Amino acid sequence: MRRPIPTSRLAVPLLIVTFGAGLLLSGSPRVEAQRAAAGPPDWPCVQRLIPELAWGTIWTGPSLDELEKRWWEDEEVGRVARFATSRDTPNAQALERVRGFVASLDDDEAERRLTLLFAGLFELTDRQRGRAIDAVRQSARAQVARLDTISAMVNELEALRADEGADPEDIERLSEALFWEQRTFQMRQQTLPAMCEQPYLLEETLGLMVRVIMERMP
């Protein structure tokens, strides 16, 4: 005797495919307008996509193009920059480390070494932002591919249901697989807003550290 097929698996709505595509690719007219101005199709965030930072927009000190040495060649600057931008360093500790370094400098070396510090903080932060942006775009592309998979599975399931000779166990297996594919899509979709925030949180932290540096600049 064949087992009954659980209705929770059989009642797989096509709506989720349409709904999921809407979440990922369109949304409300307002969000659609925001996305249209935000960047390419694989950028699902409402925030505008800025792939790279421009140091001149946040720094009013000496030009980084005219530095006589690299920031990491100053060992202490390198340590401070790496500690302050490490993913394992809380923002409060990062700011405290920068403040301590700023306060330790003599006036005659402050401008030169603070410029080096900014160069390090900027480069490392921009690098992290780039990785965060790449992660968002990769996740968005994976979600689009997952929607295609779900759509194909829905079509296959509907064809099986329409076939009077189809094995109910085949229908149950496909329903189960589709259920978990949908669950995965929904869970990944819920993480996207937090991922979208990461580049801007990094930029915000950099801005706070730059403010501390600029307070000491001549």
Side-chain angles (χ1 to χ4, degrees), residues 133-169:
I133 288 169
D134 287 344
V136 171
R137 299 179 73 172
Q138 289 173 11
S139 181
R141 290 193 291 269
Q143 286 292 80
V144 171
R146 188 166 286 112
L147 280 177
D148 290 341
T149 299
I150 290 173
S151 180
M153 292 173 73
V154 167
N155 291 338
E156 184 180 355
L157 182 59
E158 292 301 316
L160 281 176
R161 288 174 176 170
D163 183 358
E164 294 182 356
D167 188 339
E169 292 187 356

PDB file of all heavy atoms in Angstrom, residues 133-169:
ATOM      1  N   ILE A 133      31.284  44.023  -0.519  1.00  0.00           N
ATOM      2  CA  ILE A 133      30.475  44.273  -1.712  1.00  0.00           C
ATOM      3  C   ILE A 133      30.455  43.041  -2.611  1.00  0.00           C
ATOM      4  O   ILE A 133      29.403  42.645  -3.139  1.00  0.00           O
ATOM      5  CB  ILE A 133      31.003  45.506  -2.463  1.00  0.00           C
ATOM      6  CG1 ILE A 133      30.668  46.780  -1.673  1.00  0.00           C
ATOM      7  CG2 ILE A 133      30.419  45.591  -3.873  1.00  0.00           C
ATOM      8  CD1 ILE A 133      31.358  48.022  -2.189  1.00  0.00           C
ATOM      9  N   ASP A 134      31.615  42.407  -2.786  1.00  0.00           N
ATOM     10  CA  ASP A 134      31.673  41.189  -3.601  1.00  0.00           C
ATOM     11  C   ASP A 134      30.784  40.098  -3.010  1.00  0.00           C
ATOM     12  O   ASP A 134      30.116  39.357  -3.747  1.00  0.00           O
ATOM     13  CB  ASP A 134      33.113  40.687  -3.697  1.00  0.00           C
ATOM     14  CG  ASP A 134      33.976  41.547  -4.610  1.00  0.00           C
ATOM     15  OD1 ASP A 134      33.408  42.333  -5.392  1.00  0.00           O
ATOM     16  OD2 ASP A 134      35.219  41.433  -4.532  1.00  0.00           O
ATOM     17  N   ALA A 135      30.778  39.984  -1.672  1.00  0.00           N
ATOM     18  CA  ALA A 135      29.955  38.966  -1.019  1.00  0.00           C
ATOM     19  C   ALA A 135      28.469  39.212  -1.275  1.00  0.00           C
ATOM     20  O   ALA A 135      27.708  38.276  -1.513  1.00  0.00           O
ATOM     21  CB  ALA A 135      30.237  38.942   0.486  1.00  0.00           C
ATOM     22  N   VAL A 136      28.059  40.477  -1.222  1.00  0.00           N
ATOM     23  CA  VAL A 136      26.653  40.812  -1.492  1.00  0.00           C
ATOM     24  C   VAL A 136      26.283  40.429  -2.919  1.00  0.00           C
ATOM     25  O   VAL A 136      25.242  39.800  -3.165  1.00  0.00           O
ATOM     26  CB  VAL A 136      26.397  42.307  -1.268  1.00  0.00           C
ATOM     27  CG1 VAL A 136      25.003  42.689  -1.751  1.00  0.00           C
ATOM     28  CG2 VAL A 136      26.546  42.665   0.214  1.00  0.00           C
ATOM     29  N   ARG A 137      27.119  40.797  -3.866  1.00  0.00           N
ATOM     30  CA  ARG A 137      26.809  40.542  -5.276  1.00  0.00           C
ATOM     31  C   ARG A 137      26.815  39.047  -5.582  1.00  0.00           C
ATOM     32  O   ARG A 137      25.973  38.559  -6.345  1.00  0.00           O
ATOM     33  CB  ARG A 137      27.784  41.300  -6.170  1.00  0.00           C
ATOM     34  CG  ARG A 137      27.693  42.811  -5.968  1.00  0.00           C
ATOM     35  CD  ARG A 137      28.658  43.583  -6.831  1.00  0.00           C
ATOM     36  NE  ARG A 137      28.239  43.575  -8.229  1.00  0.00           N
ATOM     37  CZ  ARG A 137      28.831  44.304  -9.175  1.00  0.00           C
ATOM     38  NH1 ARG A 137      29.861  45.082  -8.873  1.00  0.00           N
ATOM     39  NH2 ARG A 137      28.405  44.247 -10.411  1.00  0.00           N
ATOM     40  N   GLN A 138      27.739  38.302  -4.979  1.00  0.00           N
ATOM     41  CA  GLN A 138      27.761  36.854  -5.165  1.00  0.00           C
ATOM     42  C   GLN A 138      26.506  36.214  -4.585  1.00  0.00           C
ATOM     43  O   GLN A 138      25.924  35.308  -5.188  1.00  0.00           O
ATOM     44  CB  GLN A 138      29.011  36.264  -4.522  1.00  0.00           C
ATOM     45  CG  GLN A 138      30.304  36.592  -5.254  1.00  0.00           C
ATOM     46  CD  GLN A 138      31.534  36.137  -4.486  1.00  0.00           C
ATOM     47  OE1 GLN A 138      31.438  35.404  -3.498  1.00  0.00           O
ATOM     48  NE2 GLN A 138      32.707  36.573  -4.926  1.00  0.00           N
ATOM     49  N   SER A 139      26.095  36.692  -3.411  1.00  0.00           N
ATOM     50  CA  SER A 139      24.886  36.171  -2.794  1.00  0.00           C
ATOM     51  C   SER A 139      23.656  36.463  -3.647  1.00  0.00           C
ATOM     52  O   SER A 139      22.772  35.615  -3.801  1.00  0.00           O
ATOM     53  CB  SER A 139      24.712  36.770  -1.394  1.00  0.00           C
ATOM     54  OG  SER A 139      23.558  36.262  -0.766  1.00  0.00           O
ATOM     55  N   ALA A 140      23.600  37.668  -4.206  1.00  0.00           N
ATOM     56  CA  ALA A 140      22.465  38.028  -5.054  1.00  0.00           C
ATOM     57  C   ALA A 140      22.405  37.148  -6.298  1.00  0.00           C
ATOM     58  O   ALA A 140      21.326  36.687  -6.711  1.00  0.00           O
ATOM     59  CB  ALA A 140      22.558  39.501  -5.453  1.00  0.00           C
ATOM     60  N   ARG A 141      23.558  36.899  -6.912  1.00  0.00           N
ATOM     61  CA  ARG A 141      23.582  36.032  -8.093  1.00  0.00           C
ATOM     62  C   ARG A 141      23.169  34.611  -7.732  1.00  0.00           C
ATOM     63  O   ARG A 141      22.467  33.945  -8.502  1.00  0.00           O
ATOM     64  CB  ARG A 141      24.973  36.050  -8.724  1.00  0.00           C
ATOM     65  CG  ARG A 141      25.332  37.380  -9.387  1.00  0.00           C
ATOM     66  CD  ARG A 141      26.568  37.254 -10.259  1.00  0.00           C
ATOM     67  NE  ARG A 141      27.769  37.025  -9.490  1.00  0.00           N
ATOM     68  CZ  ARG A 141      28.557  37.993  -9.030  1.00  0.00           C
ATOM     69  NH1 ARG A 141      28.269  39.270  -9.248  1.00  0.00           N
ATOM     70  NH2 ARG A 141      29.650  37.693  -8.358  1.00  0.00           N
ATOM     71  N   ALA A 142      23.598  34.143  -6.560  1.00  0.00           N
ATOM     72  CA  ALA A 142      23.209  32.807  -6.113  1.00  0.00           C
ATOM     73  C   ALA A 142      21.708  32.717  -5.885  1.00  0.00           C
ATOM     74  O   ALA A 142      21.075  31.686  -6.179  1.00  0.00           O
ATOM     75  CB  ALA A 142      23.966  32.439  -4.839  1.00  0.00           C
ATOM     76  N   GLN A 143      21.115  33.790  -5.361  1.00  0.00           N
ATOM     77  CA  GLN A 143      19.676  33.804  -5.144  1.00  0.00           C
ATOM     78  C   GLN A 143      18.900  33.762  -6.466  1.00  0.00           C
ATOM     79  O   GLN A 143      17.878  33.084  -6.572  1.00  0.00           O
ATOM     80  CB  GLN A 143      19.279  35.039  -4.337  1.00  0.00           C
ATOM     81  CG  GLN A 143      19.645  34.977  -2.867  1.00  0.00           C
ATOM     82  CD  GLN A 143      18.843  33.944  -2.114  1.00  0.00           C
ATOM     83  OE1 GLN A 143      19.140  32.742  -2.170  1.00  0.00           O
ATOM     84  NE2 GLN A 143      17.804  34.382  -1.427  1.00  0.00           N
ATOM     85  N   VAL A 144      19.391  34.480  -7.457  1.00  0.00           N
ATOM     86  CA  VAL A 144      18.740  34.448  -8.776  1.00  0.00           C
ATOM     87  C   VAL A 144      18.818  33.033  -9.344  1.00  0.00           C
ATOM     88  O   VAL A 144      17.832  32.507  -9.884  1.00  0.00           O
ATOM     89  CB  VAL A 144      19.396  35.461  -9.729  1.00  0.00           C
ATOM     90  CG1 VAL A 144      18.877  35.278 -11.151  1.00  0.00           C
ATOM     91  CG2 VAL A 144      19.118  36.885  -9.260  1.00  0.00           C
ATOM     92  N   ALA A 145      19.988  32.391  -9.216  1.00  0.00           N
ATOM     93  CA  ALA A 145      20.131  31.020  -9.699  1.00  0.00           C
ATOM     94  C   ALA A 145      19.214  30.073  -8.931  1.00  0.00           C
ATOM     95  O   ALA A 145      18.622  29.151  -9.509  1.00  0.00           O
ATOM     96  CB  ALA A 145      21.591  30.575  -9.566  1.00  0.00           C
ATOM     97  N   ARG A 146      19.077  30.326  -7.621  1.00  0.00           N
ATOM     98  CA  ARG A 146      18.198  29.480  -6.815  1.00  0.00           C
ATOM     99  C   ARG A 146      16.744  29.647  -7.241  1.00  0.00           C
ATOM    100  O   ARG A 146      15.972  28.684  -7.259  1.00  0.00           O
ATOM    101  CB  ARG A 146      18.385  29.821  -5.335  1.00  0.00           C
ATOM    102  CG  ARG A 146      17.675  28.871  -4.390  1.00  0.00           C
ATOM    103  CD  ARG A 146      18.154  29.038  -2.964  1.00  0.00           C
ATOM    104  NE  ARG A 146      19.485  28.457  -2.790  1.00  0.00           N
ATOM    105  CZ  ARG A 146      20.579  29.162  -2.556  1.00  0.00           C
ATOM    106  NH1 ARG A 146      20.514  30.484  -2.466  1.00  0.00           N
ATOM    107  NH2 ARG A 146      21.735  28.564  -2.412  1.00  0.00           N
ATOM    108  N   LEU A 147      16.348  30.854  -7.601  1.00  0.00           N
ATOM    109  CA  LEU A 147      14.989  31.073  -8.099  1.00  0.00           C
ATOM    110  C   LEU A 147      14.750  30.300  -9.391  1.00  0.00           C
ATOM    111  O   LEU A 147      13.671  29.742  -9.604  1.00  0.00           O
ATOM    112  CB  LEU A 147      14.746  32.565  -8.345  1.00  0.00           C
ATOM    113  CG  LEU A 147      14.409  33.425  -7.140  1.00  0.00           C
ATOM    114  CD1 LEU A 147      14.283  34.881  -7.558  1.00  0.00           C
ATOM    115  CD2 LEU A 147      13.117  32.952  -6.478  1.00  0.00           C
ATOM    116  N   ASP A 148      15.746  30.266 -10.259  1.00  0.00           N
ATOM    117  CA  ASP A 148      15.609  29.491 -11.499  1.00  0.00           C
ATOM    118  C   ASP A 148      15.425  28.015 -11.177  1.00  0.00           C
ATOM    119  O   ASP A 148      14.611  27.323 -11.813  1.00  0.00           O
ATOM    120  CB  ASP A 148      16.852  29.684 -12.373  1.00  0.00           C
ATOM    121  CG  ASP A 148      16.939  31.080 -12.968  1.00  0.00           C
ATOM    122  OD1 ASP A 148      15.892  31.766 -13.018  1.00  0.00           O
ATOM    123  OD2 ASP A 148      18.046  31.489 -13.364  1.00  0.00           O
ATOM    124  N   THR A 149      16.197  27.526 -10.197  1.00  0.00           N
ATOM    125  CA  THR A 149      16.068  26.127  -9.791  1.00  0.00           C
ATOM    126  C   THR A 149      14.686  25.843  -9.235  1.00  0.00           C
ATOM    127  O   THR A 149      14.050  24.831  -9.566  1.00  0.00           O
ATOM    128  CB  THR A 149      17.143  25.786  -8.736  1.00  0.00           C
ATOM    129  OG1 THR A 149      18.442  25.970  -9.299  1.00  0.00           O
ATOM    130  CG2 THR A 149      17.000  24.356  -8.253  1.00  0.00           C
ATOM    131  N   ILE A 150      14.197  26.733  -8.369  1.00  0.00           N
ATOM    132  CA  ILE A 150      12.871  26.557  -7.781  1.00  0.00           C
ATOM    133  C   ILE A 150      11.802  26.558  -8.867  1.00  0.00           C
ATOM    134  O   ILE A 150      10.882  25.726  -8.857  1.00  0.00           O
ATOM    135  CB  ILE A 150      12.598  27.660  -6.745  1.00  0.00           C
ATOM    136  CG1 ILE A 150      13.490  27.464  -5.508  1.00  0.00           C
ATOM    137  CG2 ILE A 150      11.126  27.677  -6.333  1.00  0.00           C
ATOM    138  CD1 ILE A 150      13.417  28.603  -4.510  1.00  0.00           C
ATOM    139  N   SER A 151      11.909  27.467  -9.807  1.00  0.00           N
ATOM    140  CA  SER A 151      10.928  27.549 -10.887  1.00  0.00           C
ATOM    141  C   SER A 151      10.905  26.256 -11.698  1.00  0.00           C
ATOM    142  O   SER A 151       9.831  25.727 -12.040  1.00  0.00           O
ATOM    143  CB  SER A 151      11.245  28.735 -11.791  1.00  0.00           C
ATOM    144  OG  SER A 151      10.304  28.837 -12.844  1.00  0.00           O
ATOM    145  N   ALA A 152      12.088  25.715 -11.997  1.00  0.00           N
ATOM    146  CA  ALA A 152      12.159  24.467 -12.755  1.00  0.00           C
ATOM    147  C   ALA A 152      11.564  23.313 -11.954  1.00  0.00           C
ATOM    148  O   ALA A 152      10.860  22.447 -12.507  1.00  0.00           O
ATOM    149  CB  ALA A 152      13.613  24.164 -13.120  1.00  0.00           C
ATOM    150  N   MET A 153      11.822  23.283 -10.648  1.00  0.00           N
ATOM    151  CA  MET A 153      11.274  22.219  -9.805  1.00  0.00           C
ATOM    152  C   MET A 153       9.760  22.316  -9.712  1.00  0.00           C
ATOM    153  O   MET A 153       9.053  21.297  -9.706  1.00  0.00           O
ATOM    154  CB  MET A 153      11.899  22.298  -8.415  1.00  0.00           C
ATOM    155  CG  MET A 153      13.381  21.957  -8.395  1.00  0.00           C
ATOM    156  SD  MET A 153      14.163  22.247  -6.773  1.00  0.00           S
ATOM    157  CE  MET A 153      13.487  20.885  -5.838  1.00  0.00           C
ATOM    158  N   VAL A 154       9.224  23.547  -9.640  1.00  0.00           N
ATOM    159  CA  VAL A 154       7.771  23.735  -9.614  1.00  0.00           C
ATOM    160  C   VAL A 154       7.153  23.211 -10.905  1.00  0.00           C
ATOM    161  O   VAL A 154       6.132  22.503 -10.885  1.00  0.00           O
ATOM    162  CB  VAL A 154       7.419  25.221  -9.404  1.00  0.00           C
ATOM    163  CG1 VAL A 154       5.935  25.471  -9.688  1.00  0.00           C
ATOM    164  CG2 VAL A 154       7.744  25.642  -7.982  1.00  0.00           C
ATOM    165  N   ASN A 155       7.771  23.530 -12.033  1.00  0.00           N
ATOM    166  CA  ASN A 155       7.250  23.056 -13.317  1.00  0.00           C
ATOM    167  C   ASN A 155       7.260  21.528 -13.386  1.00  0.00           C
ATOM    168  O   ASN A 155       6.306  20.907 -13.881  1.00  0.00           O
ATOM    169  CB  ASN A 155       8.077  23.629 -14.465  1.00  0.00           C
ATOM    170  CG  ASN A 155       7.873  25.127 -14.633  1.00  0.00           C
ATOM    171  OD1 ASN A 155       6.861  25.676 -14.200  1.00  0.00           O
ATOM    172  ND2 ASN A 155       8.837  25.782 -15.256  1.00  0.00           N
ATOM    173  N   GLU A 156       8.355  20.947 -12.899  1.00  0.00           N
ATOM    174  CA  GLU A 156       8.451  19.485 -12.903  1.00  0.00           C
ATOM    175  C   GLU A 156       7.409  18.854 -11.994  1.00  0.00           C
ATOM    176  O   GLU A 156       6.786  17.838 -12.328  1.00  0.00           O
ATOM    177  CB  GLU A 156       9.852  19.060 -12.466  1.00  0.00           C
ATOM    178  CG  GLU A 156      10.095  17.559 -12.531  1.00  0.00           C
ATOM    179  CD  GLU A 156      11.494  17.169 -12.090  1.00  0.00           C
ATOM    180  OE1 GLU A 156      12.311  18.081 -11.832  1.00  0.00           O
ATOM    181  OE2 GLU A 156      11.765  15.954 -11.993  1.00  0.00           O
ATOM    182  N   LEU A 157       7.197  19.472 -10.847  1.00  0.00           N
ATOM    183  CA  LEU A 157       6.209  18.949  -9.908  1.00  0.00           C
ATOM    184  C   LEU A 157       4.804  19.033 -10.480  1.00  0.00           C
ATOM    185  O   LEU A 157       4.005  18.093 -10.357  1.00  0.00           O
ATOM    186  CB  LEU A 157       6.298  19.723  -8.590  1.00  0.00           C
ATOM    187  CG  LEU A 157       5.366  19.268  -7.458  1.00  0.00           C
ATOM    188  CD1 LEU A 157       5.614  17.812  -7.103  1.00  0.00           C
ATOM    189  CD2 LEU A 157       5.550  20.156  -6.238  1.00  0.00           C
ATOM    190  N   GLU A 158       4.484  20.146 -11.121  1.00  0.00           N
ATOM    191  CA  GLU A 158       3.158  20.293 -11.716  1.00  0.00           C
ATOM    192  C   GLU A 158       2.942  19.266 -12.825  1.00  0.00           C
ATOM    193  O   GLU A 158       1.848  18.732 -12.996  1.00  0.00           O
ATOM    194  CB  GLU A 158       2.983  21.709 -12.268  1.00  0.00           C
ATOM    195  CG  GLU A 158       2.914  22.797 -11.204  1.00  0.00           C
ATOM    196  CD  GLU A 158       1.771  22.580 -10.234  1.00  0.00           C
ATOM    197  OE1 GLU A 158       0.661  22.247 -10.697  1.00  0.00           O
ATOM    198  OE2 GLU A 158       1.973  22.731  -9.019  1.00  0.00           O
ATOM    199  N   ALA A 159       4.009  18.973 -13.583  1.00  0.00           N
ATOM    200  CA  ALA A 159       3.891  17.966 -14.641  1.00  0.00           C
ATOM    201  C   ALA A 159       3.645  16.582 -14.046  1.00  0.00           C
ATOM    202  O   ALA A 159       2.842  15.804 -14.582  1.00  0.00           O
ATOM    203  CB  ALA A 159       5.159  17.968 -15.491  1.00  0.00           C
ATOM    204  N   LEU A 160       4.322  16.273 -12.939  1.00  0.00           N
ATOM    205  CA  LEU A 160       4.098  14.987 -12.287  1.00  0.00           C
ATOM    206  C   LEU A 160       2.671  14.874 -11.755  1.00  0.00           C
ATOM    207  O   LEU A 160       2.030  13.827 -11.859  1.00  0.00           O
ATOM    208  CB  LEU A 160       5.107  14.807 -11.147  1.00  0.00           C
ATOM    209  CG  LEU A 160       6.529  14.373 -11.519  1.00  0.00           C
ATOM    210  CD1 LEU A 160       7.407  14.338 -10.273  1.00  0.00           C
ATOM    211  CD2 LEU A 160       6.510  13.006 -12.193  1.00  0.00           C
ATOM    212  N   ARG A 161       2.183  15.935 -11.160  1.00  0.00           N
ATOM    213  CA  ARG A 161       0.821  15.911 -10.631  1.00  0.00           C
ATOM    214  C   ARG A 161      -0.217  15.693 -11.728  1.00  0.00           C
ATOM    215  O   ARG A 161      -1.265  15.084 -11.500  1.00  0.00           O
ATOM    216  CB  ARG A 161       0.530  17.223  -9.905  1.00  0.00           C
ATOM    217  CG  ARG A 161       1.236  17.380  -8.577  1.00  0.00           C
ATOM    218  CD  ARG A 161       0.992  18.766  -8.028  1.00  0.00           C
ATOM    219  NE  ARG A 161       1.576  18.952  -6.713  1.00  0.00           N
ATOM    220  CZ  ARG A 161       1.677  20.121  -6.093  1.00  0.00           C
ATOM    221  NH1 ARG A 161       1.251  21.215  -6.707  1.00  0.00           N
ATOM    222  NH2 ARG A 161       2.214  20.203  -4.897  1.00  0.00           N
ATOM    223  N   ALA A 162       0.098  16.229 -12.906  1.00  0.00           N
ATOM    224  CA  ALA A 162      -0.845  16.101 -14.019  1.00  0.00           C
ATOM    225  C   ALA A 162      -0.781  14.731 -14.677  1.00  0.00           C
ATOM    226  O   ALA A 162      -1.669  14.369 -15.468  1.00  0.00           O
ATOM    227  CB  ALA A 162      -0.570  17.184 -15.061  1.00  0.00           C
ATOM    228  N   ASP A 163       0.270  13.971 -14.365  1.00  0.00           N
ATOM    229  CA  ASP A 163       0.448  12.643 -14.949  1.00  0.00           C
ATOM    230  C   ASP A 163      -0.217  11.607 -14.055  1.00  0.00           C
ATOM    231  O   ASP A 163       0.230  11.348 -12.948  1.00  0.00           O
ATOM    232  CB  ASP A 163       1.948  12.364 -15.094  1.00  0.00           C
ATOM    233  CG  ASP A 163       2.221  11.021 -15.762  1.00  0.00           C
ATOM    234  OD1 ASP A 163       1.251  10.296 -16.084  1.00  0.00           O
ATOM    235  OD2 ASP A 163       3.413  10.698 -15.958  1.00  0.00           O
ATOM    236  N   GLU A 164      -1.291  10.993 -14.547  1.00  0.00           N
ATOM    237  CA  GLU A 164      -2.028  10.018 -13.741  1.00  0.00           C
ATOM    238  C   GLU A 164      -1.186   8.791 -13.410  1.00  0.00           C
ATOM    239  O   GLU A 164      -1.455   8.088 -12.439  1.00  0.00           O
ATOM    240  CB  GLU A 164      -3.305   9.594 -14.468  1.00  0.00           C
ATOM    241  CG  GLU A 164      -4.315  10.729 -14.628  1.00  0.00           C
ATOM    242  CD  GLU A 164      -5.597  10.269 -15.311  1.00  0.00           C
ATOM    243  OE1 GLU A 164      -5.648   9.080 -15.716  1.00  0.00           O
ATOM    244  OE2 GLU A 164      -6.525  11.087 -15.435  1.00  0.00           O
ATOM    245  N   GLY A 165      -0.175   8.528 -14.217  1.00  0.00           N
ATOM    246  CA  GLY A 165       0.657   7.355 -13.964  1.00  0.00           C
ATOM    247  C   GLY A 165       1.879   7.637 -13.122  1.00  0.00           C
ATOM    248  O   GLY A 165       2.708   6.749 -12.916  1.00  0.00           O
ATOM    249  N   ALA A 166       2.010   8.863 -12.627  1.00  0.00           N
ATOM    250  CA  ALA A 166       3.193   9.222 -11.840  1.00  0.00           C
ATOM    251  C   ALA A 166       3.198   8.511 -10.499  1.00  0.00           C
ATOM    252  O   ALA A 166       2.156   8.274  -9.890  1.00  0.00           O
ATOM    253  CB  ALA A 166       3.231  10.734 -11.630  1.00  0.00           C
ATOM    254  N   ASP A 167       4.380   8.136 -10.055  1.00  0.00           N
ATOM    255  CA  ASP A 167       4.552   7.483  -8.761  1.00  0.00           C
ATOM    256  C   ASP A 167       4.404   8.528  -7.656  1.00  0.00           C
ATOM    257  O   ASP A 167       5.141   9.521  -7.633  1.00  0.00           O
ATOM    258  CB  ASP A 167       5.936   6.846  -8.687  1.00  0.00           C
ATOM    259  CG  ASP A 167       6.121   5.984  -7.432  1.00  0.00           C
ATOM    260  OD1 ASP A 167       5.371   6.172  -6.445  1.00  0.00           O
ATOM    261  OD2 ASP A 167       7.038   5.147  -7.437  1.00  0.00           O
ATOM    262  N   PRO A 168       3.472   8.336  -6.718  1.00  0.00           N
ATOM    263  CA  PRO A 168       3.304   9.302  -5.621  1.00  0.00           C
ATOM    264  C   PRO A 168       4.585   9.526  -4.812  1.00  0.00           C
ATOM    265  O   PRO A 168       4.800  10.615  -4.276  1.00  0.00           O
ATOM    266  CB  PRO A 168       2.209   8.666  -4.758  1.00  0.00           C
ATOM    267  CG  PRO A 168       1.441   7.811  -5.703  1.00  0.00           C
ATOM    268  CD  PRO A 168       2.448   7.281  -6.676  1.00  0.00           C
ATOM    269  N   GLU A 169       5.440   8.490  -4.733  1.00  0.00           N
ATOM    270  CA  GLU A 169       6.687   8.676  -4.002  1.00  0.00           C
ATOM    271  C   GLU A 169       7.628   9.643  -4.720  1.00  0.00           C
ATOM    272  O   GLU A 169       8.362  10.405  -4.073  1.00  0.00           O
ATOM    273  CB  GLU A 169       7.369   7.320  -3.783  1.00  0.00           C
ATOM    274  CG  GLU A 169       6.594   6.416  -2.822  1.00  0.00           C
ATOM    275  CD  GLU A 169       7.363   5.155  -2.486  1.00  0.00           C
ATOM    276  OE1 GLU A 169       8.464   4.959  -3.058  1.00  0.00           O
ATOM    277  OE2 GLU A 169       6.874   4.379  -1.652  1.00  0.00           O
TER     278      GLU A 169
END
